[in-house]
Amino acid sequence: MNVPHSSIETMAKLALITGASSGIGKATAEAFAALGINLILCGRRIERLEEVKANLSSKVEVHLLTFDVRNNEDVVAALNSLPPSLKEVDILINNAGNAHGMSSIQEGDLADWDAMIDGNVKGLLYVSKVVMPWMIARKSGHIVNLSSIAGKQTYPNGAVYCASKAAVESISEGMRLDLNPHGIKVTNVAPGAVETEFSMVRFKGDENRSQSVYQGYEALKAEDIADIIAFTVTRPPHVVMADILILPTAQASPYVLKRT
Ligand code: 8X3
């Protein structure tokens, strides 16, 4: 992508990305590496993180951390294990999260609810709780939270997933308010339909059901979102893109999708 010269001069140098082994997290790591931004990549699957690292380490420095954002003890231990130079995080991409199951609220599965609330909401908070003081101490930083169109509009059979993303919307707004005195940027990114492993996880490996989500129209790709995140984090210091809704052209809302 083209980055205006003025932005390059002020470009951040170190990003920490959660959920970096696949999907939007991995694509964002690739986009950042192309911009020369060093990376701390976090995820649960070390083999997949190693693969991402192998592809990017000729371009930038890549450090890996394996932990599950749902376990606060592991989050704190992993992040605090970083040497001081790697705590100078300029950009935090709170990307880890998923949908688990899709059913009416009355038929909802408690384990699915826990997974979504623990990962999408509490996990984001746990990671941020450790990284925010690092940014506050340096009076700069940029936090990018991955929300969803589901955080703005609730759809049938998605109540708890939508609620978890509505929480992300509120947390983004709250961070922007509370971190304002500290000069920290906060961006809320809300994608619509993106073709990743998202639906395979939501439908617990049911390939037919998951593929049908993306049939008859061109869904967004993880790279489309990563491209916009890369643009967002390369704006000059006085500019923050606060809230971004990104949809496939075929999608007008969770309910309106033009399929062929
Ligand atoms: C993913 C988008 O529309 O499947 O967060 O909820 S949607």
Side-chain angles (χ1 to χ4, degrees):
M1 69 176 286
N2 281 332
V3 179
H5 183 66
S6 62
S7 314
I8 289 174
E9 288 166 5
T10 56
M11 197 144 64
K13 294 291 188 295
L14 177 63
L16 188 151
I17 304 174
T18 66
S21 63
S22 64
I24 293 170
K26 179 180 169 208
T28 302
E30 290 164 356
F32 282 8
L35 292 171
I37 299 173
N38 295 320
L39 299 165
I40 302 166
L41 303 181
C42 310
R44 287 171 298 169
R45 297 170 290 191
I46 186 63
E47 299 81 12
R48 294 182 68 165
L49 285 176
E50 293 281 9
E51 271 174 42
V52 180
K53 179 178 178 174
N55 289 330
L56 303 181
S57 53
S58 63
K59 295 184 185 144
V60 291
E61 285 173 29
V62 183
H63 189 90
L64 304 183
L65 288 178
T66 39
F67 60 86
D68 185 336
V69 296
R70 293 176 289 186
N71 184 320
N72 186 48
E73 270 182 27
D74 288 357
V75 169
V76 170
L79 294 177
N80 282 333
S81 76
L82 292 167
S85 63
L86 290 180
K87 289 180 178 163
E88 298 196 351
V89 170
D90 300 292
I91 305 165
L92 167 60
I93 308 291
N94 274 319
N95 165 71
N98 256 315
H100 296 270
M102 195 173 185
S103 67
S104 66
I105 188 133
Q106 62 272 26
E107 285 162 358
D109 181 272
L110 273 180
D112 286 341
W113 293 357
D114 284 343
M116 290 187 279
I117 291 169
D118 290 352
N120 303 359
V121 184
K122 291 164 71 179
L124 181 151
L125 289 170
Y126 294 158
V127 172
S128 303
K129 175 81 175 152
V130 179
V131 176
M132 286 185 295
W134 302 345
M135 291 182 167
I136 289 169
R138 298 171 64 228
K139 296 203 176 308
S140 78
H142 191 164
I143 300 175
V144 179
N145 293 329
L146 267 293
S147 177
S148 166
I149 189 174
K152 301 182 188 289
Q153 284 179 280
T154 306
Y155 48 78
N157 301 316
V160 177
Y161 176 69
C162 295
S164 75
K165 290 300 185 177
V168 174
E169 300 269 312
S170 291
I171 292 165
S172 293
E173 203 176 342
M175 283 179 168
R176 197 173 307 111
L177 293 165
D178 294 346
L179 296 173
N180 172 272
H182 303 286
I184 295 167
K185 297 187 188 191
V186 179
T187 298
N188 189 73
V189 176
V194 186
E195 189 162 4
T196 61
E197 291 170 10
F198 176 85
S199 289
M200 280 292 275
V201 176
R202 167 172 262 179
F203 299 124
K204 303 176 195 291
D206 182 335
E207 273 187 41
N208 289 338
R209 216 173 155 198
S210 116
Q211 275 168 12
S212 71
V213 173
Y214 309 111
Q215 267 162 16
Y217 70 102
E218 187 169 357
L220 295 168
K221 297 174 204 65
E223 291 72 20
D224 297 321
I225 307 301
D227 196 28
I228 288 164
I229 293 173
F231 181 80
T232 301
V233 302
T234 49
R235 294 312 85 211
H238 69 291
V239 179
V240 61
M241 300 177 73
D243 196 8
I244 311 169
L245 175 65
I246 309 156
L247 303 175
T249 304
Q251 185 177 32
S253 88
Y255 314 105
V256 179
L257 194 52
K258 182 174 176 288
R259 295 184 198 254
T260 52

